[in-house]
Amino acid sequence: MRSRIVVAGVAASVLLMAVVGLSGPSAAEPWIGRPTPAPPWFRPMHLPDAWVTVMLWTAVILGCVAVSAGLSLVRTGRAPSPARLAAGGALAVAVLVVVPPVGSTDLMDYAAYGRIASVGHSPYTTTPYQLGRTGDPVARLSSHAWRHKPSVYGPAATAAQWLASRMAGASAARTVWWLKLENALAFLVVALALDRMTAGDRARRARAHLLWTLNPLMLWAVVAGGHIDGLSVALAMAGLWALRSAGRRPLAAGFCGGLLLGGATAVKAPFALLAAGGAWSWRRSPRTLVMGALGTLLAIVPGYLLAGGAAVDAVIRRGERMSRSSPWHLGAELAGGRPPAWVVTWGALLLAVALAAVFARGLPAEPPEAPGVRLALALSLAWLISSQVYYPWYETMVFSLLALMPVSRVDVLLVIRGGIAALGCIPGAVELLHPAWLDTLVRHGVMAYLVPSALLVVGLALVVIAARKRWIPDPPGTGVPGVNSHGSPDERSPTPSLI
């Protein structure tokens, strides 16, 4: 019965997202052009901003409750069927991929950058506004926030955007469809990799699908919202999957793992944190280390050489902004002004290093079939908590890694964290909401104070739990050999501790 409640909650959450998408342009959905017989499908219904906001807030809350309930079933030994969870996730992907992007305008910017590349310009030096002045129908639909800014994504991301643009031509709607299809396939690749890396243990497989495949927060970020983080996660998970065979085929595993992890970094630079986890797992095999480094460099260097120095500058520019949901923004609001950029940049860096050390010592041992995931998770959590640039889709990095780790007392806490962040970015497609009270509530209340405050509290709780080495619940229920009740490696386990 409780399994049915989990599925019903997820289904209701996904259905609400799909309804908003099918309802056409709104406060949550950008204009992509007129409806066509081909996807993405929608019918303009001009939903009020308040309706859209409440519907999506409800979807996020229902999703968080459903996933949390499913995780509690796993902890008590009543895990739902992994096959049914995987099938349900695939069905949710099929539903969300055919509607326009919801909750963000990022896909419109991806489409513009792809269009810039497909007509022979560099998206690192040419802005959507510059191309839009020529009358280009795709570039003209880019968001106001990024219209005057060049791309800040890696060359692999540009390649994916270029491919979608070449397939779609001058149609923004078709470009969006191809971009969403790329992300949907990437989402399913992650689901497959997680399923195979947890094969043989029903509880672990079910937990992996609850945290990723059937998790409305991840479906919202990658499929509904279309964020390119999904492509990075797919490459990174495929890389970690490849590293499993390092003991039998060290050269092939190192090269393929490095190539895929480097590809994830070439999509979005922060995924170098996952590549660092992979590199750590190679440390005891010189041959694997050399081949892994070769594969990583091969994935990163040629693309940046081809894109030019402007692409490298784009990586640096990413750290110069401050998102409204970041705790750094909360400090700026309370102080009545933003501190100098160098203070925030260096402060975030030093804080990230300190938090990484705490998590590296406090996380439990990684399972043998997921080499490098422990360090990757420690670095990712440290970066997300400390970074001045933070959005809910960044959580894709954490949930994909968490799904490979033992059952923990922070599973639900991280679901809550992801839900809080998602609530703060809803509705997501407009800067000004109507009526005025809704705009004041969402943009100046929720986003300015409530969301960053809640994220700060949850972040502190995660740090305390890691510092006290209380990550694993008592009594143990990890389902992972070699981990004792305190989350430290058993003496009989072949998995070494991190530091």
Side-chain angles (χ1 to χ4, degrees):
M1 176 61 71
R2 291 186 65 181
S3 295
R4 294 181 180 178
I5 293 175
V6 172
V7 173
V10 172
S13 176
V14 171
L15 182 61
L16 284 170
M17 297 177 194
V19 168
V20 172
L22 289 170
S23 300
S26 66
E29 183 176 321
W31 170 257
I32 64 171
R34 298 181 182 279
T36 64
W41 294 318
F42 65 97
R43 181 177 180 180
M45 296 181 63
H46 311 291
L47 293 180
D49 294 358
W51 285 23
V52 170
T53 303
V54 171
M55 289 172 69
L56 292 180
W57 276 354
T58 303
V60 169
I61 294 171
L62 283 174
C64 289
V65 171
V67 172
S68 299
L71 292 172
S72 71
L73 290 178
V74 173
R75 282 190 59 179
T76 55
R78 294 175 291 172
S81 166
R84 292 183 179 179
L85 294 176
L91 178 61
V93 170
V95 170
L96 293 175
V97 75
V98 297
V99 302
V102 181
S104 173
T105 58
D106 280 10
L107 261 181
M108 307 311 298
D109 300 321
Y110 301 163
Y113 294 136
R115 179 65 174 170
I116 291 170
S118 69
V119 298
H121 301 293
S122 169
Y124 301 107
T125 56
T126 302
T127 66
Y129 173 77
Q130 290 171 325
L131 184 61
R133 290 185 62 184
T134 68
D136 186 87
V138 179
R140 286 190 303 174
L141 295 184
S142 63
S143 69
H144 292 287
W146 289 90
R147 187 162 295 174
H148 296 278
K149 299 177 181 178
S151 174
V152 295
Y153 303 101
T158 298
Q161 294 159 1
W162 170 86
L163 178 62
S165 183
R166 294 292 294 179
M167 297 287 289
S171 169
R174 286 198 297 271
T175 305
V176 165
W177 157 244
W178 284 110
L179 287 168
K180 289 202 72 176
L181 186 60
E182 289 177 358
N183 286 330
L185 293 175
F187 187 90
L188 294 175
V189 166
V190 177
L192 177 61
L194 292 175
D195 186 84
R196 293 301 82 205
M197 293 173 75
T198 56
D201 189 310
R202 174 188 171 95
R204 290 190 64 214
R205 284 183 65 203
R207 177 172 173 271
H209 287 304
L210 283 167
L211 288 171
W212 181 266
T213 318
L214 206 65
N215 185 348
L217 297 177
M218 299 298 98
L219 291 163
W220 169 256
V222 179
V223 186
H227 295 284
I228 205 166
D229 302 68
L231 180 57
S232 280
V233 175
L235 290 168
M237 288 298 107
L240 294 177
W241 190 6
L243 290 177
R244 294 192 308 163
S245 60
R248 302 186 304 274
R249 297 184 294 273
L251 299 183
F255 180 77
C256 292
L259 188 68
L260 291 164
L261 288 165
T265 305
V267 174
K268 288 191 73 172
F271 280 82
L273 300 174
L274 275 66
W280 178 260
S281 72
W282 307 330
R283 70 192 184 282
R284 296 193 176 183
S285 172
R287 294 186 299 171
T288 306
L289 181 61
V290 170
M291 294 305 294
L294 178 61
T296 302
L297 292 174
L298 188 60
I300 297 175
V301 175
Y304 276 100
L305 288 176
L306 185 63
V312 179
D313 292 339
V315 176
I316 299 173
R317 287 198 304 270
R318 289 188 62 85
E320 296 177 350
R321 298 177 294 116
M322 183 188 294
S323 55
R324 290 187 296 175
S325 54
S326 166
W328 288 95
H329 184 265
L330 174 64
E333 287 285 333
L334 295 176
R338 178 173 177 170
W342 69 268
V343 172
V344 177
T345 300
W346 284 101
L349 179 60
L350 293 174
L351 180 59
V353 171
L355 293 180
V358 173
F359 287 123
R361 290 185 176 274
L363 289 178
E366 65 192 22
E369 66 274 13
V373 68
R374 185 172 185 261
L375 177 59
L377 180 58
L379 295 174
S380 300
L381 281 171
W383 174 66
L384 287 181
I385 293 173
S386 62
S387 178
Q388 69 268 39
V389 182
Y390 170 79
Y391 295 99
W393 41 93
Y394 292 4
E395 296 287 344
T396 53
M397 180 187 297
V398 167
F399 277 93
S400 58
L401 296 170
L402 184 69
L404 294 173
M405 292 291 286
V407 171
S408 75
R409 63 174 74 250
V410 303
D411 288 351
V412 172
L413 188 61
L414 285 169
V415 171
I416 293 173
R417 172 185 166 84
I420 291 170
L423 290 173
C425 286
I426 289 173
V430 296
E431 284 294 321
L432 186 64
L433 296 173
H434 298 284
W437 65 264
L438 180 65
D439 186 72
T440 300
L441 172 66
V442 173
R443 296 180 65 244
H444 301 289
V446 173
M447 281 301 295
Y449 297 103
L450 293 181
V451 166
S453 297
L455 290 176
L456 180 60
V457 171
V458 175
L460 290 173
L462 291 171
V463 173
V464 170
I465 291 171
R468 297 179 61 191
K469 296 187 178 182
R470 299 288 295 167
W471 204 264
I472 294 295
D474 293 319
T478 65
V480 180
V483 179
N484 62 31
S485 63
H486 298 291
S488 58
D490 191 283
E491 292 179 355
R492 297 166 296 176
S493 174
T495 306
S497 61
L498 182 60
I499 49 178

